[in-house]
Structures are given as C-alpha cells and as structure tokens.
Amino acid sequence: MSDVPDPMDGVDVPGRIAVLGAGSWGTTFAKVLADAGREVVLWARRESVAASIRSEHRNPDYLTTAALPENLDATSDFDAALAGAQAVVLGVPSQSLRENLQVFRDAVPAGVPVVSLAKGVEIGTGLRMSEVISSVGRIAPRRVVVLTGPNLAPEIAAGQPTAAVLACSDHDTAVRMQLASATPYFRPYTITDVVGAEIAGTGKNVIALACGMAEGLGLGLNTAASLITRGLNELTRLGEKLGALPATLAGLAGLGDLVATCSSPLSRNRTLGSRLAQGSGLEAALEANGGQVAEGVVSCRSMRDLAHRHGVDMPITDGVYRVCYQHETPASMIGVLMNRPYSPE
C-alpha cells in the first residue's frame, strides 16, 4: 500500500456533468470531462448536432476532426441533460448568457457547482459572467466556478498539453471541479480570485484584436510584444480597481491567456483583427469567421464602458473600440497609441 495520500479522498467529485452549449469550447471541455472519466451529457440547441455526436462521436459544426469519447452523450433536451447532474457547465456566449439562464435556471439541480466558460462583461449592466450567473440564475457565488487560461479549443481537443485556471470564491468547490476535469493533457489549477480571472479572460480578446490588426498591417514581433505587455498593464489596472490580485493577471488567467490568444492563428479574435487591418469591414470580417463568435468585438465595448465607469485609462481597449464602432482605421489606431504623452512604465 502506498503512503502517498489520495487527493480525491474526502472530496465529493462530480460524476455526472451536464455541459450546456455545443460550440467549440463547450464541446472541447465536454471531451476533457469525459476523458477525465466523468459521465458527460452535452446539450446542443439543434437535434441534428446532438444526433451526430451520439452516432458518429463528432460535432458536425465545430471541431469536426476531433473524435469525441463514447462516454460523451448528447441531447437537445436541456431537462434531460440536467437530470441528475452533479455539476453544470455553461458554454453559451457571454451576451446570450442572461437569456439562456432564464430558460435553464429552474432545471439546474440545487447546490451543484456551476462552471462558466464564457469570457465577457455584459453590455449595459457591466456585470461579469459570474455575477450574471448568480443574479439571473439565482446561484450562490460560492457555487460559481470560472474556467479560464491559455485554452485554444482545437489544441486541447487534439490532446495537446495545457494548463488552466478554475476560479471560485469557495476553494473546495474549485477543487471538486479540478479533480473532475484533470487529465494527462489538461492540468487545472485553482484560485479564489474570480474578479481577476474574469477581467483577464474578457480583456485578452480585446488585446488579441489589436495584435491581429498589427499583424494585418505587416508589423512584427516588437509591436505584438508591446501590445501584449501594455495590454496586460491596462487589464491589471482595471482588475486592481475592481479588487483583483495582480498575481492573477500575471499568471495563467492573464499573461498565459494573452500570449496564446494574441499569438495563435487559431485565435478568432486575432484573425478578425488581421482581416480588419487588411481592409475588410467589420460585417465582412465577422462573416469570414465562419459564424464563430469573436468575443473581443463585444468586449471592447463593455470593457471600455467598465473602465470609464471606474476612471481607468485603457488606451488599447479604447483604440480597438474606435476601430470596431467609430470607423477608425487600424493604422490610425497604432499611430494614436504611439503618439500618446510619454510617461513612466
């Protein structure tokens, strides 16, 4: 017998988990949970998608080359998906989360952890996704877990090693989901700084748009590194103003996610930014994204509003907003950033 303690001893690890939303990230995390040995039911809005996942073990709309585990079931009936669930994962886009919660909330089993995959701040209210889940879903904050980090869905679906962060104000709840989702290729860490995790996860999409614009203009790594670093600086300022820990922004949730999203051609936001710089209008660039959501287009607006509300200067976020909504060119945005008054770092 080994004298090494089993980390699962005494921890109530969810066995049956419902994942609501069969987009790229929802499908990928459902695969992670299934590979971790959980009994997973993935809810898809369309029965044709659910049927394909059940019969062919593939999602016909997203990650079409990824083989899904046989212990991953799928349904278009959210009541059936949620029946007996010991944890619930919300994989719907940030700006439709409120609407979906109004439908789902009465069927969510009482007391179970609820994991948020959405990265965003709600337009109008300025609420982070965990706050929307708590207020609209009537779910206690200690049950809400935020998953974030350098998590490009196609790489994870292919089994490439990555680390992630599970943030929850209740450490034990975060640990339950950590043990439920850990696999040889997916290594989750836990933190209690939900604010920092969500500000980082939202803001990185905006900075990725800026990096994509720089790439589309033919600019090199110096420009990208400058945008990433100064982007991290402005996200940290906003996070600290809202009560986040600087260490969160310097870790996987902040710097880690920024590097991945701002550097990879798999990043929808970086790709969209590049198309904008190459002359595509916003509508055409969004259409060329194949129907997949580029959260940064919405997040630059909600993050800018949040920054103004709290008196935080966020020049890159403001510049991306001007490109997306005020018809400024990406080249002009870079020029404005470079001509700002000089200051200490």
Side-chain angles (χ1 to χ4, degrees):
M1 295 289 291
S2 171
D3 293 328
V4 178
D6 185 342
M8 298 179 76
D9 280 353
V11 178
D12 181 17
V13 181
R16 178 180 170 86
I17 300 177
V19 179
L20 305 181
S24 293
W25 191 208
T27 301
T28 297
F29 192 56
K31 179 182 184 297
V32 169
L33 292 167
D35 286 342
R38 306 307 112 198
E39 179 188 348
V40 183
V41 181
L42 178 61
W43 174 80
R45 190 174 300 277
R46 290 184 291 116
E47 175 55 28
S48 60
V49 173
S52 180
I53 293 171
R54 288 195 304 269
S55 63
E56 300 174 19
H57 306 294
R58 293 187 187 277
N59 185 325
D61 290 348
Y62 300 97
L63 304 168
T64 54
T65 61
L68 301 176
E70 292 193 7
N71 57 323
L72 196 170
D73 196 5
T75 181
S76 59
D77 181 340
F78 68 83
D79 284 313
L82 290 166
Q86 296 166 323
V88 175
V89 178
L90 298 174
V92 297
S94 62
Q95 301 307 315
S96 64
L97 180 60
R98 176 180 293 271
E99 177 186 353
N100 279 285
L101 278 168
Q102 290 169 343
V103 176
F104 295 147
R105 64 188 175 195
D106 292 335
V108 174
V112 305
V114 176
V115 181
S116 171
L117 303 186
K119 296 179 177 180
V121 170
E122 191 175 47
I123 291 176
T125 67
L127 294 176
R128 293 175 282 107
M129 294 299 99
S130 65
E131 294 175 310
V132 175
I133 292 169
S134 292
S135 61
V136 179
R138 305 175 192 143
I139 294 165
R142 68 179 181 277
R143 290 171 52 200
V144 181
V145 183
V146 173
L147 175 61
T148 190
N151 300 148
L152 295 163
E155 293 184 1
I156 297 174
Q160 296 182 21
T162 193
V165 171
L166 290 161
C168 183
S169 60
D170 181 76
H171 176 254
D172 290 345
T173 300
V175 169
R176 291 174 66 192
M177 293 312 304
Q178 179 185 44
L179 297 177
S181 60
T183 75
Y185 64 88
F186 188 83
R187 181 177 177 82
Y189 292 82
T190 61
I191 61 174
T192 56
D193 181 12
V194 175
V195 175
E198 291 191 297
I199 291 300
T202 301
K204 60 95 181 188
N205 287 322
V206 181
I207 308 305
L209 273 175
C211 286
M213 292 177 200
E215 190 271 339
L217 291 170
L219 303 175
L221 291 177
N222 286 338
T223 308
S226 298
L227 287 168
I228 291 170
T229 307
R230 295 307 299 169
L232 178 62
N233 180 279
E234 63 183 57
L235 295 181
T236 302
R237 285 199 304 271
L238 178 61
E240 286 188 279
K241 188 76 171 183
L242 297 174
L245 301 174
T248 302
L249 280 297
L252 287 166
L255 181 59
D257 204 358
L258 266 174
V259 170
T261 310
C262 293
S263 305
S264 174
L266 296 174
S267 165
R268 295 191 295 268
N269 291 280
R270 180 180 179 271
T271 300
L272 181 69
S274 180
R275 291 193 178 111
L276 290 172
Q278 292 168 9
S280 293
L282 181 58
E283 292 302 319
L286 288 168
E287 280 184 25
N289 249 31
Q292 297 198 60
V293 176
E295 291 279 9
V297 175
V298 176
S299 293
C300 68
R301 178 179 165 189
S302 57
M303 288 287 281
R304 177 178 179 269
D305 290 346
L306 195 61
H308 286 182
R309 191 175 304 172
H310 292 277
V312 178
D313 186 30
M314 299 184 71
I316 299 175
T317 299
D318 194 60
V320 171
Y321 171 83
R322 293 196 308 273
V323 171
C324 289
Y325 294 101
Q326 296 181 344
H327 308 293
E328 182 170 309
T329 66
S332 175
M333 181 197 80
I334 296 293
V336 170
L337 290 172
M338 292 301 292
N339 286 297
R340 283 169 51 80
Y342 298 114
S343 64
E345 185 182 23

